[in-house]
Amino acid sequence: MKESEKKAAAKKFAETWKGRGYEKGETHSFWLELLHDVYGVENPTHFIFFEEQVDLSHKSFIDATIPETHVMIEQKSIGKDLSKPIKQSDGTTLTPYQQAKRYAAELPYSKRPRWIVASNFAEFRVYDMENPQAEPEIILLENLEKEYYRLQFLVNVRSRDAKKEMEISLAAGEIVGKLYDALLSQYKDPTNAESLKSLNKLCVRLVFCLYAEDAGIFGRRNMFRDFLQSFQPQNVRRGLIDLFEILATPEEKRDPYINDNLKEFPYVNGGLFEDEKIEIPNFTDEILNLLLQHASEDFDWSGISPTIFGAVFESTLNPETRRAGGMHYTSIENIHRVIDPLFLDDLKKELEEIKETKQPKTRKQKLKDFQRKLASLTFLDPASGSGNFLTETYISLRRLENEALKEQLGVEIVLGELDNPIQVSIGQFYGIEINDFAVTVAKTALWIAEAQMMQETESIVHMNLDFLPLKSYANIVEGNALRLDWNEVVARDKVDYIMGNPPFVGARLMGAEQKADVNKIFDGWKNNGNLDYVACWYKKAADFLAFPLRGRGTALAVDEVAPASRLSSPLRDNTSSVSPAGCHLPLKGKAIRAALVSTNSITQGDAVATLWKPLFENGVHIDFAHRTFRWDQKSELDTDTSPKRKAHGQKKAAVHCVIIGFSIAPNEKPKILYSGGQRHEAKEINAYLVDAPNVFIESRKAPLCNVPEIVFGNMPNDDGLLSQYTTEEKETICAQYPLAKEMFKPFVGAKEFINGTSRWCLWLKDVSAQNIRKVPPVVDAIKKVRELRLASTRPMTKKKADTPTLFGEIRQPSGNYLIVPRHSSENRRYIPLGYMSSDYICGDSNFMIPDISLYHFGVLTSNVHMAWVRTICGRIKSDYRYSKDIVYNNFPWPTPTDAQKQTIEQTAQAILDARAKFPDASLADLYDETTMPPELRKAHQANDRAVMAAYGFDLKISEAECVARLLEMYQAL
């Protein structure tokens, strides 16, 4: 369906269902019509399923599921409030979303939903289970004509062809892995670096030959296989040396006396075969059979996806090497999350509008102009890896070009006008990659993509197009992108878009060279030691975009761009106006836009101000962004079955990412914020990826508002010698030495607090030395603490060896205090907070707030504060990492009336009372979203309403809007 057709269908559907909808009688027809009429599902009854039974404590039925897109639907009748809890048949009260989550928890993992949709016919509330605590995206039926695309996730299924492509590509990767291992064992020195480079190149050449014979590039099928079959295993090596030389030699320069089995091979060129001689080992019967049977006769290489296969091929590298470099495979889906909003959506829209042109001659001219526009665009991936971004972008542009050609030709074919029907070229794509093998793979993937797309064009224009010889584009450069001048790879004034997925390496996990890269890129920047490696690409890209040099935060016109060399460090005190003329001559250039995938660390915690504040001050702004999403790095790519490779590669890593599109160019279209797959037009996207003003939450030593101070718990500094005793160990010592009873106190770390487990510590602060000496196990522990501290290289720790009976840092309050765990699961809507008596020693995995009132507890445990935490705090993976100086000390508190304050105190106490009804349950049990008792949930919801009233927030405010209001309050304070 064309976009105009979808829009018209959405309008008609909305008009048909306006003001009506009964859950029991009309759910089926509502969803079947939506899927068929608006989203073009041909057989919706085979796509969506209704009333699937799920066993709880009683039999229940899921209203609807869409298995292929992992969607669960909870439908209510028209007029039902989707935010209000409804009494269930077992007596509990749950909102439609909570009801669906309960169903989901009982399903096998493979059937659990990615999306939960709650609907009452008039609105759709969409919950993304990748971010289960986020506010839902709300799409109103009355707006469906304009916002139909926001429900596109319902039907976004890869076609059968795409699935087949994936399967073929993964099977190809398995063959490559087996071939790689078999050849590696034949090298004289399998650990030699040059031999490994030769093996990499040999594998690439073999795969290209296998692909070329299946795709018809060599002229006939089985041509390469027949050539190999003519040799005995001991002669294959010599045969390949001769073949590679022939493939690198133009026909007119070949020896006229070469064997007939070499004569028929075409000239390939392109640098793939004409490099320096490579080391080729001897072949065995096993390797030859692997090539002839498994890799050739039993397998058709013509159907592989070059985008996927490039990454599959690259995965033949030692996976440990990949991880050390922070290399991560980017799926086609995630590539499109970058390139679609960066440029592809606009190009598709432009083509659709051209196709709607009524006058044929005008339409044809516009299509030709559009084709020329596609051919004029230039792309740079400064961390190109196996080239999957470049390859997928090339394929996407060529498909648009083929569509434009099809529209130009219609049913009439005039061959005389089609001397050069293809204008988009792989020469438009530039990359930088540090790994030599990946560079070769990326070039090969682009060549394969070029061959495949040329075949698609041939079927449109009904012409035979010459693919060989390969064009020798040296556009993917081997080197460290952080030390290369990108202008030497491609001139800045040629580039339209920068895109990619740079390496992910945490600030504390970098090697010496990576750390040196960071120090070079961020020379002179404060706190650069807290930035992850990926931040370097943002800074380099921003320099390449060219910073303005006028006032702080003032953008220049596009033709008044300052040289990147003048901007190697942020402008610190640039409060005066600086004329561009004072910075040599102004450069003229394109308005480049960039978009990068990265870890979400750069949008959380203190890294936000460190990285983004200087960039924003120098004119950078965010055009679009995907808020935190997760993809599991289970390797779709680790298909190799050899024991050695299996031992390395079959690991799963969860990567928590953001995508940020940024530029210094003027914005001519709305800024777009994506969250949970939903699209939101934003006035401003700040560095926390919130539609809110550009403010930066920086470290603050005291609270911004007049509230109690928060402090770290007590730090043992003891390697567990004072602080890690089980109940059994403590009782054993006390049974033998009764005096020890006064020496032990319960110790509460974050784990003990949340999970309700017991742990004891030696608390000798007020115990006499005389009594301590009478308990040998305690004396022994103290001696070891002293030795441990003396052995430290830190002067402060050495000094603490003088007081080995005490914790390294003591802050224990004399009265009751509130515990705030420093780390907590993202799966909890509320971080569990709780009061403790001073008899419980608080560890430094918690924060403490002494002498805090119920009012303060109520605000801190509210959804308002939790929204602030989720946006501002740092993360470990995606779990909350609560901060004293960033989160608590900067939090804008409300100014309630006496009545509002009293209400919050009452609702806070109700939370504690609800917990007290379950004395045997841990906080982990109580705050699990699936098992939270209704009484506790109800108490929290009442507290949320009371706190929101104190802020003056509407009860229907979304979490993103709530954070935006808090940031405005912070800015004012």
Side-chain angles (χ1 to χ4, degrees), residues 704-924:
L704 180 66
C705 299
N706 184 23
V707 293
E709 289 202 12
I710 187 171
V711 296
F712 281 100
N714 304 280
M715 185 180 72
N717 201 335
D718 67 335
D719 201 22
L721 292 164
L722 299 176
S723 60
Q724 289 190 14
Y725 289 85
T726 65
T727 300
E728 185 180 8
E729 289 169 336
K730 170 242 180 188
E731 288 180 351
T732 299
I733 294 172
C734 291
Q736 191 172 358
Y737 305 99
L739 274 175
K741 287 181 181 179
E742 66 170 330
M743 302 177 192
F744 282 100
K745 285 200 174 186
F747 182 88
V748 185
K751 287 182 180 178
E752 289 78 23
F753 175 67
I754 292 173
N755 296 314
T757 54
S758 296
R759 177 174 161 190
W760 297 82
C761 68
L762 286 170
W763 192 254
L764 307 174
K765 187 168 177 283
D766 298 315
V767 181
S768 68
Q770 180 183 9
N771 285 349
I772 292 173
R773 292 185 62 201
K774 292 176 181 177
V775 185
V778 174
V779 173
D780 184 53
I782 294 168
K783 285 180 180 178
K784 289 178 180 176
V785 170
R786 176 176 167 76
E787 291 167 4
L788 177 77
R789 293 176 181 174
L790 283 172
S792 173
T793 57
R794 297 182 63 201
M796 287 294 293
T797 303
K798 276 185 182 292
K799 189 173 182 181
K800 294 181 193 303
D802 294 339
T803 53
T805 58
L806 302 178
F807 275 29
E809 294 177 13
I810 295 177
R811 304 180 187 88
Q812 186 67 9
S814 58
N816 292 349
Y817 59 92
L818 188 75
I819 275 189
V820 181
R822 289 171 62 191
H823 301 118
S824 179
S825 169
E826 63 155 344
N827 293 322
R828 300 186 183 106
R829 182 158 183 77
Y830 306 95
I831 295 176
L833 314 177
Y835 285 98
M836 302 296 291
S837 82
S838 59
D839 291 333
Y840 285 79
I841 306 303
C842 181
D844 64 341
S845 58
N846 301 310
F847 290 110
M848 302 182 294
I849 311 178
D851 302 319
I852 189 169
S853 71
L854 277 171
Y855 160 71
H856 294 108
F857 167 65
V859 174
L860 290 176
T861 199
S862 71
N863 60 352
V864 176
H865 185 245
M866 290 299 118
W868 177 263
V869 171
R870 274 188 279 274
T871 302
I872 304 301
C873 77
R875 303 270 180 146
I876 292 184
K877 298 179 295 182
S878 61
D879 290 342
Y880 309 129
R881 187 177 190 176
Y882 199 92
S883 162
K884 173 175 76 78
D885 295 343
I886 296 289
V887 176
Y888 182 84
N889 284 346
N890 284 296
F891 179 58
W893 287 72
T895 52
T897 64
D898 290 342
Q900 288 171 334
K901 189 171 183 179
Q902 186 177 2
T903 301
I904 292 172
E905 289 170 350
Q906 291 168 352
T907 56
Q909 184 60 55
I911 291 172
L912 299 175
D913 293 342
R915 290 182 191 174
K917 292 179 180 179
F918 305 93
D920 297 329
S922 68
L923 289 171

Side-chain angles (χ1 to χ4, degrees), residues 24 31 90 261 283 286 437 537 582 605 630 725 824 860 970:
K24 298 301 181 186
W31 285 96
D90 64 352
N261 65 349
F283 277 56
E286 176 200 355
F437 180 40
W537 273 262
R630 164 185 173 142
Y725 289 85
S824 179
L860 290 176
Y970 168 83

Side-chain angles (χ1 to χ4, degrees), residues 424-441:
V424 173
S425 157
I426 59 175
Q428 298 167 232
F429 298 86
Y430 292 78
I432 306 171
E433 170 54 39
I434 199 167
N435 181 274
D436 65 312
F437 180 40
V439 170
T440 308
V441 170

Side-chain angles (χ1 to χ4, degrees), residues 892-967:
W893 287 72
T895 52
T897 64
D898 290 342
Q900 288 171 334
K901 189 171 183 179
Q902 186 177 2
T903 301
I904 292 172
E905 289 170 350
Q906 291 168 352
T907 56
Q909 184 60 55
I911 291 172
L912 299 175
D913 293 342
R915 290 182 191 174
K917 292 179 180 179
F918 305 93
D920 297 329
S922 68
L923 289 171
D925 298 328
L926 295 175
Y927 283 86
D928 184 306
E929 276 296 297
T930 305
T931 59
M932 179 182 272
E935 299 94 323
L936 181 57
R937 191 183 299 279
K938 186 177 178 181
H940 267 287
Q941 289 169 345
N943 183 69
D944 291 342
R945 289 191 293 271
V947 172
M948 291 171 77
Y951 277 97
F953 293 170
D954 189 296
L955 294 181
K956 292 185 178 180
I957 193 172
S958 70
E959 181 160 309
E961 291 169 332
C962 173
V963 172
R965 292 282 298 276
L966 290 174
L967 288 171

